């Protein structure tokens, strides 16, 4: 059976990269797969989160998923900490994964920075929890942006080693689904850095909660080079900021880069930025409005998450029970 699992961290500042690289694809996949979408709060606390902000960010992320088109009735939308199988399976995977594998994780190196000794143990074990998220449901497909590819390779390695260690064919090796033209949306201030929730400059990203004036200002101030737009994709080589803005435009209008350049090639960036602002506002405003409406009522979001946790638990618990038997634990 084919099953999709994916998640996002409730760390605030949900941005256009999260939307184009992940959430928008999740919405499409709902047609063809059984889907499970998770607000990964256990992952969020691998770096410090102020408790009240975390609570609010969990609800905001759930609201943004629903506002983007995730259907919590047909599919499962829940919050990670409300399903204990994730933490339990992660511990077992901590004992399957090798330290050498985790030492290779580039995201840990980036997030821990120079002061690695001071990073939380949770940040180091992060990918093992991510493997547990996916494999607790025996998910077969995982739609993510490009930055999560290495974590998914580790998930596959853990699945293979678990199966080998215990001589079973239990876990599937899930396939990453890295879909669409915008698998790595870059910062508006620096075309060599990905758009990120944790960038200190809010001007570097387009937040899902930005109003039209803020969006216009951010796009107007986005870094570009002095040349006009090229007419062909080859002309974007060595122009990362130009490439990023055009990719965003293409993704939001469901066009390909060649078509966008055929239309806008030869024009100056000032004109293109206006066209891009119009498209971004047109696509994001309905989602932002719906997010605000949903967020105004905590009880609605909390009820959706509680129901989602129940349904997630009903899938994960029997799988975890089998895992415990395979490992040699006594089942109650
Ligand atoms: P997170 O919360 O950082 O991001 C959520 C999703 O957004 C994608 N993404 C991007 N895509 C394109 N361009 C960008 N600039 C960009 N920034 C982020 C991410 O690739 C991701 O798909 N570890 C995950 C959360 C997670 C998860 C999982 C995902 C936990 N368990 C199990 C899949 C399956 C993360 O930190 O995503």
């Amino acid at each position: 059976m084919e099953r999709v699992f994916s998640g996002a961290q409730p760390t605030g500042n949900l941005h256009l990269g999260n939307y184009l690289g992940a959430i928008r694809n999740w919405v499409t996949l709902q047609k063809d797969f059984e889907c499970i979408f998770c607000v990964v709060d256990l992952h969020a606390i691998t770096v410090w989160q102020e408790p009240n902000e975390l609570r609010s960010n969990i609800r905001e992320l759930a609201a943004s998923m629903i506002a983007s088109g995730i259907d919590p009735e047909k599919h499962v939308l829940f919050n990670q900490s409300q399903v204990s199988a994730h933490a339990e399976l992660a511990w077992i995977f901590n004992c399957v994964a090798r330290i050498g594998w985790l030492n290779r994780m580039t995201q840990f190196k980036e997030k821990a920075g120079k002061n690695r000794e001071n990073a939380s143990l949770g940040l180091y074990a992060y990918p093992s929890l991510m493997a547990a998220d996916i494999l607790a449901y025996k998910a077969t497909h995982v739609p993510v942006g490009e930055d999560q590819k290495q974590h998914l390779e580790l998930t596959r390695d853990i699945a293979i080693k678990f199966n080998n260690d215990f001589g079973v064919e239990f876990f599937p090796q899930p396939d990453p689904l890295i879909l669409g033209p915008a698998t790595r949306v870059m910062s508006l201030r620096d075309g060599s850095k990905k758009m990120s929730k944790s960038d200190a400059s809010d001007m570097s990203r387009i937040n899902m909660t930005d109003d039209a004036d803020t969006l216009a200002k951010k796009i107007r101030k986005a870094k570009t080079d002095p040349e006009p737009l090229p007419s062909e994709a080859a002309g974007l080589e060595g122009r990362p900021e130009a490439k990023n803005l055009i990719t965003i435009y293409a993704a939001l209008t469901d066009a390909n880069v060649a078509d966008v350049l055929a239309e806008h090639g030869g024009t100056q960036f000032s004109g293109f930025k206006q066209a891009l602002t119009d498209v971004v506002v047109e696509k994001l405003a309905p989602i932002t409005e719906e997010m605000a409406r949903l967020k105004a009522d905590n009880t609605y979001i909390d009820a959706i998450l509680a129901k989602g946790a129940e349904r997630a638990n009903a899938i994960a618990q029997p799988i975890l029970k089998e895992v415990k038997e395979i490992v040699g634990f006594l089942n109650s």
Side-chain angles (χ1 to χ4, degrees):
M1 215 254 297
E2 304 211 305
R3 181 179 279 158
V4 157
F5 182 97
S6 201
Q9 295 193 68
T11 40
N13 297 334
L14 194 75
H15 55 70
L16 191 66
N18 300 128
Y19 178 67
L20 292 178
I23 298 174
R24 195 174 73 149
N25 297 325
W26 303 354
V27 173
T28 315
L29 289 164
Q30 292 181 116
K31 281 201 295 295
D32 299 318
F33 290 88
E34 174 198 1
C35 296
I36 304 174
F37 299 118
C38 185
V39 175
V40 296
D41 52 356
L42 298 175
H43 277 106
I45 62 162
T46 56
V47 296
W48 170 251
Q49 305 295 323
E50 202 282 313
N52 283 325
E53 268 175 39
L54 179 61
R55 251 184 295 278
S56 160
N57 286 336
I58 291 168
R59 292 178 175 130
E60 182 173 284
L61 181 54
S64 73
M65 291 182 188
I66 298 167
S68 300
I70 299 299
D71 182 344
E73 298 294 329
K74 286 211 184 93
H75 300 273
V76 179
L77 170 60
F78 75 107
N79 186 26
Q80 192 183 27
S81 64
Q82 291 179 308
V83 177
S84 64
H86 293 250
E88 290 186 66
L89 189 57
W91 180 258
I92 295 171
F93 287 168
N94 282 345
C95 304
V96 173
R98 305 290 91 181
I99 289 177
W101 300 359
L102 290 153
N103 282 342
R104 286 195 285 277
M105 295 296 112
T106 53
Q107 189 162 305
F108 174 74
K109 291 179 194 163
E110 277 163 27
K111 286 203 171 169
K114 288 203 180 71
N115 196 0
R116 211 177 285 183
E117 295 286 305
N118 205 32
S120 75
L121 186 53
L123 189 66
Y124 187 69
Y126 182 112
S128 170
L129 176 60
M130 192 161 151
D133 297 340
I134 298 163
L135 295 173
Y137 303 90
K138 292 192 170 179
T140 52
H141 294 81
V142 186
V144 285
E146 223 171 87
D147 62 338
Q148 296 300 315
K149 208 169 153 203
Q150 195 185 33
H151 287 158
L152 287 181
E153 280 159 13
L154 191 97
T155 298
R156 292 169 65 94
D157 288 342
I158 289 177
I160 293 170
K161 187 164 186 297
F162 180 94
N163 289 347
N164 280 344
D165 286 353
F166 294 100
V168 290
E169 257 321 305
F170 188 73
F171 286 121
Q173 290 163 45
D175 287 320
L177 295 178
I178 299 178
L179 304 169
T183 56
R184 189 173 173 83
V185 177
M186 308 309 279
S187 155
L188 297 181
R189 309 299 293 166
D190 177 351
S192 68
K193 278 186 9 196
K194 72 169 182 182
M195 188 175 283
S196 154
K197 293 176 195 152
S198 54
D199 195 311
S201 165
D202 197 55
M203 294 298 283
S204 71
R205 68 185 155 256
I206 290 175
N207 295 315
M208 299 297 286
T209 48
D210 284 341
D211 60 26
D213 288 346
T214 310
L215 292 173
K217 184 169 149 209
K218 286 181 175 176
I219 294 171
R220 201 169 55 243
K221 298 214 163 194
K223 186 175 167 199
T224 42
D225 54 47
E227 301 297 318
L229 271 74
S231 301
E232 289 175 8
L236 290 172
E237 282 309 307
R239 300 178 66 186
E241 285 85 11
K243 188 173 174 192
N244 189 38
L245 295 186
I246 288 156
T247 304
I248 292 173
Y249 188 97
L252 285 173
T253 54
D254 292 313
N256 57 44
V257 167
D259 293 338
V260 178
L261 292 178
E263 193 188 337
H264 293 274
T267 61
Q268 293 299 325
F269 265 99
S270 49
F272 178 72
K273 281 178 166 181
Q274 186 52 56
L276 178 61
T277 303
D278 293 345
V279 167
V280 172
V281 171
E282 184 198 321
K283 300 289 173 181
L284 291 194
I287 300 178
T288 310
E289 265 171 45
E290 181 63 1
M291 261 172 86
R293 195 185 68 80
L294 292 171
K295 243 198 105 180
D297 183 5
N298 282 346
T299 51
Y300 172 73
I301 296 288
D302 291 1
I304 296 245
L305 291 176
K307 175 107 177 294
E310 235 176 73
R311 291 164 65 198
N313 211 31
I315 303 171
Q317 273 308 327
I319 294 175
L320 183 65
K321 188 164 187 273
E322 278 191 77
V323 172
K324 287 180 174 174
E325 262 159 29
I326 291 169
V327 170
F329 295 160
L330 300 179
N331 264 317
S332 50

